[in-house]
């Protein structure tokens, strides 16, 4: 009888290296948000990412390095997209600021991003090197991004020339803590506001705070 030829075995599917990296980053974000930075172990992250600890160490040699990459992947990329949006925007500065606030709100209201923000404010003061990293790569960069929009509006006459330096600092504070309140405390609030109401309130408060005021009329 003729011998049937056996088909060669199909190669086993393997995850691409970049896919593994992304899965580890996603698992780290979940673990840090759920357990906190201090209590999270690399074993926990490996288990969530469904990789061995040895595989995880091929990408990250420490928990600090993993945190930095997690921030760059989840936060810094968003800031870079915002900077490009500002650079190419052709409308008025007021409309640009309103659009930027909406984009910021959509980002900060995301439960994953809210978890990162809560981690930063609750724990990072205990890790000075990571705090300095976050301040330089996120807080200062966000401040410069907002300042560029405010400066644009001042130059065009749309925003007040006497804007206080706190304006560029105040907007991220307002956005972050409003999103935190919606994510973690809204169900406890007897006078809860919907997300759209919170966003409308932020737009109303901040835009009216920076818009150029008409000159005062003569005293009567």
């Amino acid at each position: 009888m003729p011998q049937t030829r056996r088909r060669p075995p199909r190669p086993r599917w393997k995850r691409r290296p970049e896919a593994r990296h992304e899965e580890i980053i996603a698992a780290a974000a979940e673990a840090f948000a759920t357990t906190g930075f201090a209590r999270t172990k690399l074993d926990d992250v490996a288990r969530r990412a469904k990789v061995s600890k040895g595989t995880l160490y091929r990408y990250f040699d420490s928990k600090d390095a993993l945190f930095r990459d997690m921030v760059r992947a989840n936060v810094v990329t968003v800031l870079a997209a915002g900077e490009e949006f500002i650079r190419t925007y052709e409308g008025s500065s007021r409309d640009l600021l309103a659009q930027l606030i909406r984009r910021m709100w959509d980002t900060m209201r995301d439960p994953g991003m809210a978890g990162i923000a809560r981690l930063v404010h609750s724990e990072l003061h205990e890790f000075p090197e990571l705090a300095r990293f976050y301040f330089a790569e996120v807080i200062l960069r966000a401040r410069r991004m907002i300042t560029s929009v405010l400066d644009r509006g001042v130059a065009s006459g749309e925003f007040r020339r006497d804007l206080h330096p706190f304006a560029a600092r105040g907007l991220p504070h307002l956005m972050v803590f409003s999103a935190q309140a919606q994510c973690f405390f809204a169900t406890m609030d007897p006078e809860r506001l919907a997300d759209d109401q919170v966003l409308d309130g932020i737009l109303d408060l901040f835009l009216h705070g920076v818009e150029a005021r008409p000159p005062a009329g003569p005293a009567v």
Side-chain angles (χ1 to χ4, degrees), residues 25-99:
I25 290 291
E30 290 177 7
F32 292 150
T34 304
T35 313
F37 181 79
R39 289 188 296 163
T40 295
K41 296 179 173 56
L42 290 180
D43 284 340
D44 304 329
V45 177
R47 195 160 40 248
R48 285 176 181 267
K50 297 182 174 59
V51 299
S52 69
K53 192 173 179 181
T55 297
L56 189 148
Y57 268 106
R58 284 207 292 271
Y59 294 93
F60 305 100
D61 60 4
S62 68
K63 190 164 64 168
D64 286 13
L66 179 54
F67 176 83
R68 286 184 170 90
D69 251 30
M70 185 272 294
V71 169
R72 291 184 179 115
N74 288 280
V75 186
V76 176
T77 54
V78 174
L79 290 173
E83 290 164 349
E84 180 65 12
F85 175 73
I86 291 168
R87 189 186 68 79
T88 58
Y89 194 84
E90 297 181 351
S92 70
S93 295
R94 187 190 187 283
D95 288 345
L96 170 58
L97 181 57
Q99 290 296 328

Side-chain angles (χ1 to χ4, degrees), residues 46 81 148:
S148 71

Side-chain angles (χ1 to χ4, degrees), residues 123-172:
E123 283 195 77
L124 224 57
H125 64 281
E126 299 178 11
F127 304 92
E129 287 302 316
L130 292 182
R132 278 189 280 271
F133 156 79
Y134 193 87
F135 187 79
E137 297 219 9
V138 176
I139 296 174
L140 282 181
R141 190 166 176 175
R143 185 189 303 172
R144 292 189 195 105
M145 182 176 70
I146 295 164
T147 298
S148 71
V149 177
L150 296 179
D151 288 347
R152 183 182 190 264
V154 170
S156 67
E158 296 171 73
F159 299 157
R160 294 163 40 198
R161 293 194 173 276
D162 61 342
L163 279 179
H164 194 280
F166 182 74
R169 293 167 167 83
L171 180 58

